[in-house]
C-alpha cells in the first residue's frame, strides 16, 4: 500500500498526528456515508484519507496514531470510526483522539463554528462560548470512544488542546461541567522563534546573528508551556505537545532567506536545544509539525522537503532523530 521508504521514515517516531490527512481544517468531513473509502482513487479530498489507510500505516510503522475528529462528525461517524480503530489497530499501539484542530484559533472554520454554536446556546462571553462549546463537542466524542474502548482503556488517550501563549483559555473548556473527567491529557503547541524575523531585517545576507536569538526564544515558549503543565498536573492529567518545532515567519522581500535559514546546520543546533529543553522540562510526547513540505518564502514547517531526502540535507530532521536516539540509550 505504501512506499517502504515512506514507512521506514516514520518508524523512529512514537506517534503520528493525522491532522492534515483528516482534512481537519477544511471542516467538511463527518458524515460516515460520505466518508472516503479505501478504494477511492483520490484520497486527498475534503473528507480526508480513509481510516483504513491511517490505521494500516500506524500498524506498519508501529506508531501510535493521533486522530483529529471532524468538528461536524455525528454520532454514527464517531462510533464507526472508533470501532474500526479499536478492531484493527495493533493491540500494542495506543490511539490518541482529539476533537477538531485548534478550536481556540478563529483562523480555522471549526473554531468559528464553535463560537457561533456557543453563542447561540448562550454559553457565556465570546471566549467562554467558543471554549465551552469545544468542551461539549469534545466530551460527546470522548464518551463514544470510551464506550468502544470500555475494556481497553489503556489503549486510548483523550486530548483537550489549547493555545500555548494563553494557557488560561483552556480552563473555560476544562472546567466546564464534567469535561475534565473525560480527558487524559492537555495539549498545547509550544512553537519557538515566531518573532525572530519581525520586523523583517534590512540586511539578510548574514544569518549568524539570528541563531542565538532563535535558541533564546525557547525559554519564553516553554515558560507558557510550564503553566499548561501546572494546570494538567493539578488535575492529574498528562501534558503533551500536539504540535511543535520552529515557527519562523518572514514578510520581507528576500525570497531566499527562508530556505537559507531552514537549511543552515545551525537550525539543527537550535532545534536540538529545543528538543533537549522539552525532554528536561516536560518529558512527555511532543508532535513536531510537520513531517514533509517544500520550503516556502514566508515560512516553513517540514523537517524534510521531500520524502526520502538525504539526512545530511535536513538539519531539523537530523536533530530530531538524534534526540530520539538519545532517549533510547
Amino acid at each position: 500500500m505504501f512506499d517502504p521508504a515512506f514507512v521506514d521514515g516514520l518508524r523512529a517516531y512514537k506517534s503520528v498526528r493525522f491532522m492534515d490527512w483528516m482534512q481537519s481544517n477544511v471542516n467538511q468531513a463527518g458524515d460516515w456515508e460520505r466518508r472516503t473509502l479505501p478504494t477511492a482513487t483520490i484520497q486527498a479530498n475534503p473528507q480526508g484519507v480513509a481510516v483504513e489507510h491511517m490505521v494500516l500505516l500506524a500498524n506498519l510503522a508501529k506508531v501510535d496514531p493521533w486522530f483529529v475528529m471532524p468538528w461536524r462528525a455525528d454520532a454514527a461517524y464517531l462510533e464507526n470510526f472508533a470501532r474500526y480503530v479499536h478492531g484493527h489497530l495493533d493491540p500494542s499501539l495506543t490511539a490518541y483522539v482529539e476533537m477538531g484542530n485548534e478550536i481556540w484559533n478563529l483562523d480555522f472554520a471549526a473554531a468559528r463554528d464553535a463560537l457561533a454554536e456557543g453563542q447561540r446556546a448562550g454559553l457565556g462571553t465570546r471566549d467562554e462560548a467558543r471554549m465551552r462549546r469545544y468542551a461539549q463537542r469534545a466530551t460527546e466524542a470522548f464518551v463514544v470512544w470510551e464506550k468502544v474502548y470500555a475494556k481497553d482503556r489503556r489503549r486510548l488517550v483523550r486530548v483537550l488542546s489549547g493555545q500555548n501563549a494563553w494557557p488560561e483559555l483552556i480552563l473555560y473548556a476544562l472546567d466546564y461541567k464534567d469535561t475534565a473527567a473525560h480527558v487524559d491529557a492537555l495539549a498545547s503547541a509550544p512553537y519557538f522563534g515566531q518573532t525572530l524575523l519581525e520586523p523583517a531585517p534590512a540586511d539578510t545576507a548574514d544569518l549568524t546573528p539570528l541563531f542565538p536569538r532563535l535558541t533564546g526564544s525557547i525559554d519564553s515558549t516553554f515558560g507558557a508551556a510550564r503553566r499548561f503543565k501546572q494546570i494538567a498536573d493539578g488535575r492529574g492529567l498528562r501534558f503533551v505537545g500536539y504540535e511543535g518545532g520552529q515557527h519562523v515567519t518572514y514578510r520581507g522581500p528576500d525570497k531566499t532567506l527562508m530556505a537559507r535559514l531552514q537549511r543552515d546546520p545551525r537550525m539543527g543546533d537550535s532545534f536540538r536545544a529545543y528538543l533537549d529543553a522539552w525532554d528536561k522540562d516536560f518529558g512527555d510526547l511532543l508532535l513536531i509539525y510537520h513531517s514533509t513540505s517544500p520550503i516556502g518564502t514566508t515560512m516553513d514547517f517540514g523537517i524534510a522537503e521531500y520524502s526520502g531526502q538525504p539526512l545530511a540535507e535536513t538539519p531539523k530532521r537530523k536533530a530530531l532523530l538524534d534526540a530520539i536516539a538519545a532517549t533510547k540509550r
Side-chain angles (χ1 to χ4, degrees):
M1 178 61 70
F2 301 104
D3 186 322
F6 173 62
V7 178
D8 287 343
L10 299 177
R11 285 201 170 101
Y13 306 132
K14 172 64 178 172
S15 178
V16 170
R17 184 170 179 253
F18 286 109
M19 187 270 286
D20 283 331
W21 274 32
M22 295 184 72
Q23 296 281 20
S24 302
N25 295 330
V26 175
N27 202 38
Q28 294 183 22
D31 181 347
W32 190 253
E33 297 301 318
R34 295 174 57 241
R35 75 183 185 94
T36 304
L37 297 175
T39 53
T41 304
I42 298 175
Q43 293 287 316
N45 67 60
Q47 301 302 313
V49 173
V51 62
E52 292 87 348
H53 291 338
M54 292 186 282
V55 170
L56 177 60
L57 180 60
N59 287 342
L60 292 172
K62 299 298 182 186
V63 293
D64 292 336
W66 179 316
F67 301 108
V68 184
M69 304 309 296
W71 181 257
R72 298 180 178 180
D74 58 23
Y77 185 100
L78 293 169
E79 181 172 357
N80 285 320
F81 194 108
R83 289 195 179 282
Y84 186 86
V85 173
H86 181 260
H88 294 83
L89 185 64
D90 184 324
S92 68
L93 300 176
T94 297
Y96 287 73
V97 60
E98 178 185 13
M99 170 51 76
N101 178 58
E102 294 194 354
I103 303 305
W104 58 265
N105 187 348
L106 288 170
D107 286 343
F108 295 136
R112 296 191 292 272
D113 279 1
L115 173 60
E117 293 163 12
Q119 288 178 325
R120 284 197 298 269
L123 296 180
T125 65
R126 185 179 177 87
D127 293 328
E128 291 169 340
R130 180 171 79 260
M131 298 307 289
R132 288 171 178 168
R133 179 56 183 155
Y134 174 41
Q136 288 179 341
R137 287 294 288 133
T139 299
E140 289 168 6
F142 296 157
V143 166
V144 172
W145 282 77
E146 289 162 14
K147 291 178 180 177
V148 172
Y149 274 79
K151 297 181 180 179
D152 237 348
R153 286 299 309 283
R154 63 180 178 79
R155 295 176 55 208
L156 176 66
V157 178
R158 304 157 297 173
V159 184
L160 200 70
S161 299
Q163 184 179 12
N164 190 70
W166 187 5
E168 310 304 322
L169 182 65
I170 195 64
L171 294 175
Y172 289 134
L174 185 62
D175 292 343
Y176 182 71
K177 295 187 176 180
D178 67 341
T179 302
H182 298 279
V183 174
D184 301 299
L186 289 187
S188 73
Y191 286 109
F192 71 106
Q194 291 96 322
T195 61
L196 178 69
L197 300 177
E198 296 179 3
D203 181 5
T204 59
D206 184 8
L207 302 180
T208 299
L210 296 177
F211 289 105
R213 291 170 46 204
L214 177 61
T215 304
S217 70
I218 295 168
D219 286 342
S220 60
T221 290
F222 285 162
R226 289 186 193 98
R227 174 57 184 147
F228 248 102
K229 189 175 187 306
Q230 288 175 350
I231 294 171
D233 288 347
R235 290 159 177 78
L237 305 175
R238 292 169 59 187
F239 171 62
V240 300
Y242 71 84
E243 290 176 15
Q246 61 78 42
H247 195 319
V248 179
T249 58
Y250 175 64
R251 296 176 176 84
D254 186 345
K255 302 302 183 184
T256 71
L257 175 58
M258 188 57 63
R260 289 188 290 118
L261 186 71
Q262 298 292 339
R263 292 170 180 160
D264 194 296
R266 292 169 292 185
M267 173 60 78
D269 296 336
S270 293
F271 215 76
R272 182 58 192 268
Y274 168 79
L275 297 170
D276 287 346
W278 172 269
D279 284 341
K280 177 177 178 291
D281 289 355
F282 306 101
D284 208 318
L285 188 68
L286 172 63
L287 279 291
I288 299 301
Y289 188 81
H290 54 88
S291 60
T292 312
S293 68
I295 298 176
T297 58
T298 61
M299 66 180 66
D300 171 68
F301 292 105
I303 59 170
E305 297 172 50
Y306 58 88
S307 184
Q309 186 176 12
L311 194 60
E313 298 178 6
T314 59
K316 291 178 291 186
R317 186 165 187 267
K318 184 178 186 307
L320 179 57
L321 294 178
D322 287 347
I324 291 170
T327 67
K328 295 179 179 179
R329 286 201 286 265

mmCIF file of all heavy atoms in Angstrom, residues 203-210 257 260 266:
data_model
loop_
_atom_site.group_PDB
_atom_site.id
_atom_site.type_symbol
_atom_site.label_atom_id
_atom_site.label_comp_id
_atom_site.label_asym_id
_atom_site.label_seq_id
_atom_site.Cartn_x
_atom_site.Cartn_y
_atom_site.Cartn_z
ATOM 1 N N ASP A 203 19.091 43.774 6.484
ATOM 2 C CA ASP A 203 20.207 43.024 5.916
ATOM 3 C C ASP A 203 19.996 41.543 6.213
ATOM 4 O O ASP A 203 19.967 41.128 7.371
ATOM 5 C CB ASP A 203 21.518 43.501 6.539
ATOM 6 C CG ASP A 203 22.735 42.778 5.961
ATOM 7 O OD1 ASP A 203 22.559 41.974 5.017
ATOM 8 O OD2 ASP A 203 23.850 43.014 6.454
ATOM 9 N N THR A 204 19.833 40.763 5.171
ATOM 10 C CA THR A 204 19.569 39.329 5.355
ATOM 11 C C THR A 204 20.707 38.466 4.833
ATOM 12 O O THR A 204 20.560 37.247 4.726
ATOM 13 C CB THR A 204 18.254 38.934 4.639
ATOM 14 O OG1 THR A 204 18.362 39.248 3.242
ATOM 15 C CG2 THR A 204 17.064 39.658 5.239
ATOM 16 N N ALA A 205 21.825 39.080 4.512
ATOM 17 C CA ALA A 205 22.932 38.311 3.941
ATOM 18 C C ALA A 205 23.580 37.407 4.984
ATOM 19 O O ALA A 205 23.902 36.251 4.703
ATOM 20 C CB ALA A 205 23.969 39.257 3.345
ATOM 21 N N ASP A 206 23.772 37.925 6.202
ATOM 22 C CA ASP A 206 24.465 37.171 7.252
ATOM 23 C C ASP A 206 23.445 36.610 8.233
ATOM 24 O O ASP A 206 22.751 37.366 8.924
ATOM 25 C CB ASP A 206 25.450 38.088 7.977
ATOM 26 C CG ASP A 206 26.271 37.340 9.016
ATOM 27 O OD1 ASP A 206 26.191 36.087 9.062
ATOM 28 O OD2 ASP A 206 26.977 38.012 9.787
ATOM 29 N N LEU A 207 23.365 35.303 8.315
ATOM 30 C CA LEU A 207 22.411 34.660 9.216
ATOM 31 C C LEU A 207 22.953 34.482 10.639
ATOM 32 O O LEU A 207 22.187 34.147 11.549
ATOM 33 C CB LEU A 207 22.025 33.277 8.666
ATOM 34 C CG LEU A 207 21.403 33.226 7.274
ATOM 35 C CD1 LEU A 207 21.084 31.775 6.905
ATOM 36 C CD2 LEU A 207 20.146 34.072 7.206
ATOM 37 N N THR A 208 24.236 34.721 10.829
ATOM 38 C CA THR A 208 24.879 34.413 12.106
ATOM 39 C C THR A 208 24.179 35.040 13.311
ATOM 40 O O THR A 208 23.983 34.361 14.329
ATOM 41 C CB THR A 208 26.363 34.828 12.071
ATOM 42 O OG1 THR A 208 27.027 34.081 11.040
ATOM 43 C CG2 THR A 208 27.035 34.554 13.403
ATOM 44 N N PRO A 209 23.762 36.313 13.251
ATOM 45 C CA PRO A 209 23.126 36.903 14.445
ATOM 46 C C PRO A 209 21.767 36.298 14.788
ATOM 47 O O PRO A 209 21.274 36.476 15.906
ATOM 48 C CB PRO A 209 22.980 38.387 14.075
ATOM 49 C CG PRO A 209 23.901 38.611 12.927
ATOM 50 C CD PRO A 209 23.947 37.312 12.190
ATOM 51 N N LEU A 210 21.163 35.589 13.846
ATOM 52 C CA LEU A 210 19.803 35.106 14.060
ATOM 53 C C LEU A 210 19.738 33.893 14.981
ATOM 54 O O LEU A 210 18.779 33.737 15.751
ATOM 55 C CB LEU A 210 19.145 34.756 12.723
ATOM 56 C CG LEU A 210 18.937 35.908 11.739
ATOM 57 C CD1 LEU A 210 18.333 35.386 10.434
ATOM 58 C CD2 LEU A 210 18.043 36.988 12.342
ATOM 59 N N LEU A 257 15.721 33.918 1.811
ATOM 60 C CA LEU A 257 16.056 33.893 3.236
ATOM 61 C C LEU A 257 15.526 32.652 3.942
ATOM 62 O O LEU A 257 16.259 31.987 4.687
ATOM 63 C CB LEU A 257 15.521 35.150 3.922
ATOM 64 C CG LEU A 257 15.699 35.196 5.453
ATOM 65 C CD1 LEU A 257 17.175 35.075 5.830
ATOM 66 C CD2 LEU A 257 15.095 36.465 6.022
ATOM 67 N N ARG A 260 17.495 29.490 3.072
ATOM 68 C CA ARG A 260 18.841 29.512 3.638
ATOM 69 C C ARG A 260 18.799 29.276 5.145
ATOM 70 O O ARG A 260 19.642 28.550 5.699
ATOM 71 C CB ARG A 260 19.516 30.850 3.328
ATOM 72 C CG ARG A 260 19.897 31.011 1.860
ATOM 73 C CD ARG A 260 20.740 32.255 1.623
ATOM 74 N NE ARG A 260 19.968 33.495 1.785
ATOM 75 C CZ ARG A 260 20.230 34.419 2.708
ATOM 76 N NH1 ARG A 260 21.237 34.251 3.554
ATOM 77 N NH2 ARG A 260 19.504 35.520 2.768
ATOM 78 N N ARG A 266 23.010 25.311 11.567
ATOM 79 C CA ARG A 266 22.748 25.920 12.871
ATOM 80 C C ARG A 266 21.275 25.867 13.239
ATOM 81 O O ARG A 266 20.926 25.950 14.419
ATOM 82 C CB ARG A 266 23.282 27.355 12.890
ATOM 83 C CG ARG A 266 24.812 27.417 12.838
ATOM 84 C CD ARG A 266 25.314 28.824 12.591
ATOM 85 N NE ARG A 266 24.984 29.296 11.248
ATOM 86 C CZ ARG A 266 25.393 30.457 10.747
ATOM 87 N NH1 ARG A 266 26.179 31.241 11.467
ATOM 88 N NH2 ARG A 266 25.049 30.821 9.515
#
